Amino acid sequence: EQATHMRVRIGGIDDDSYAVFLDDVSEQRRFEEVRRDFVTNVSHELKTPSGAIALLAETIGDASDDPEAVRYFAGRIMKESERLSQLVHHLIDLQHVQDMSAIQVTQRVDALAAVREAIALDATQAQAKSIAVQLTADRRVLPLDAASEAHGEAGPHAEAFEVLADRESLTTAVRNLVENAIRYSPQHGSVAVTLERAGSVVRIRVVDQGIGIPKEAQQRIFERFYRVDAARSRATGGSGLGLSIAKHGIEEHGGTLGVWSHEGFGSTFTIEMPLAPENAAT
Ligand code: ADP
């Protein structure tokens, strides 16, 4: 259904002869379209919170003799600026995973440590909603911080989950999944993160019992800026980029990211990444 665009080019062969070239520039055109859409989306996403901040600041000015109102509007400004800052961070992450040369899939990374780091980065959001995040590796529940594991029962060997990866992209991917699991779960909900070896891959699952994702939307959630419910997602602070960053980052490592979900019951996101060679053999 995509139109084909040809460009005519005339090139000299020698002093007397010329050749006419027909170049297929459809690919280039499509790329341009995607880029234009992206810029439009980004502008729109930036405009919404910055417009809200301007409006709220103006309102504060008018309400300066009412301390309670000032506190309320200051809080809203804070929320909007957090949204702006998250969007900018997501744009930087997206840039990182799209720049293949920036990704070093040669680092030996302990996936368990990366997962712990990702969970720690989402701790504030989890606390704010009183959501318990449980970490399980090879069916054993582990403490969230490695330090307490060292004092307690011996944990699994770190090499058990060693992958060749760019640590930052792996951590970011898991972090975005955990962040979503928290965002789309009710207060006092629970989120489970599990790691297990399955043949030559490590499988990382992020499981929530939140709102779930309708069947017809499951194909599209990995697209940039796609949201099942734009209004709700914006209200809860999403950028619409988290999953595309995660998918891109994982696929860059030769891994996969998939989803299983049932509306009203919850969602499970599954990452599979090849284990580091010697690690997989043991
Ligand atoms: P957002 O920043 O809006 O969460 P994402 O790219 O991370 O953007 O996710 C895209 C959309 O997929 C979300 O807007 C939401 O509708 C849906 N989604 C992602 N994760 C979950 C989840 N764990 N539970 C329910 N819906 C989810």
Side-chain angles (χ1 to χ4, degrees):
E1 351 136 299
Q2 291 278 3
T4 303
H5 299 278
M6 304 301 273
R7 183 176 55 199
V8 182
R9 198 158 48 84
I10 300 177
I13 292 176
D14 53 40
D15 285 348
D16 306 311
S17 4
Y18 293 90
V20 177
F21 299 96
L22 274 178
D23 295 334
D24 182 355
V25 291
S26 324
E27 192 60 34
Q28 206 174 315
R29 283 268 186 118
R30 275 196 285 277
F31 179 79
E32 271 303 306
E33 270 165 34
V34 168
R35 197 191 58 82
R36 244 197 326 267
D37 284 353
F38 182 70
V39 173
T40 308
N41 277 321
V42 170
S43 321
H44 177 76
E45 297 295 331
L46 288 171
K47 239 163 73 187
T48 315
S50 44
I53 288 174
L55 213 68
L56 288 162
E58 203 182 304
T59 320
I60 280 199
D62 296 340
S64 52
D65 50 353
D66 179 352
E68 196 145 327
V70 168
R71 251 198 308 280
Y72 170 76
F73 289 119
R76 298 246 335 247
I77 288 181
M78 195 69 181
K79 266 226 139 61
E80 292 297 332
S81 55
E82 274 163 16
R83 258 181 70 185
L84 264 182
S85 124
Q86 191 199 30
L87 177 62
V88 172
H89 277 116
H90 274 180
L91 286 171
I92 293 168
D93 288 343
L94 189 66
Q95 175 74 35
H96 179 80
V97 295
Q98 285 182 341
D99 179 6
M100 281 180 44
S101 60
I103 294 188
Q104 297 173 359
V105 289
T106 48
Q107 256 174 292
R108 294 185 85 89
V109 174
D110 171 15
L112 176 58
V115 165
R116 275 201 165 108
E117 188 185 340
I119 296 174
L121 288 166
D122 288 325
T124 320
Q125 282 109 306
Q127 261 160 25
K129 287 181 79 174
S130 306
I131 286 176
V133 179
Q134 191 190 59
L135 173 64
T136 311
D138 279 338
R139 291 169 211 281
R140 284 179 41 203
V141 178
L142 299 181
L144 291 183
D145 63 309
S148 51
E149 181 175 79
H151 297 300
E153 202 189 330
H157 294 299
E159 314 89 71
F161 300 108
E162 213 172 52
V163 291
L164 288 182
D166 172 61
R167 178 160 180 151
E168 194 185 326
S169 325
L170 176 58
T171 308
T172 301
V174 177
R175 180 194 181 167
N176 289 350
L177 297 182
V178 174
E179 197 173 322
N180 281 344
I182 295 168
R183 177 174 301 142
Y184 301 107
S185 285
Q187 291 266 344
H188 307 288
S190 57
V191 170
V193 183
T194 66
L195 272 96
E196 62 181 349
R197 290 172 58 127
S200 59
V201 301
V202 57
R203 187 178 292 142
I204 304 169
R205 287 208 163 104
V206 179
V207 186
D208 70 60
Q209 296 167 349
I211 57 172
I213 304 160
K215 261 255 134 23
E216 63 279 7
Q218 289 174 20
Q219 304 290 325
R220 301 204 55 199
I221 51 174
F222 299 99
E223 291 170 20
R224 295 182 304 197
F225 294 114
Y226 179 82
R227 295 169 169 115
V228 175
D229 179 341
R232 186 188 55 206
S233 171
R234 289 214 184 84
T236 50
S239 74
L241 290 174
L243 286 180
S244 50
I245 293 166
K247 194 173 176 75
H248 219 99
I250 295 301
E251 287 180 349
E252 218 54 79
H253 290 82
T256 57
L257 170 61
V259 62
W260 175 92
S261 184
H262 198 314
E263 224 183 333
F265 287 87
S267 311
T268 297
F269 284 84
T270 305
I271 292 175
E272 284 192 358
M273 292 244 297
L275 284 157
E278 300 93 283
N279 192 210
T282 54

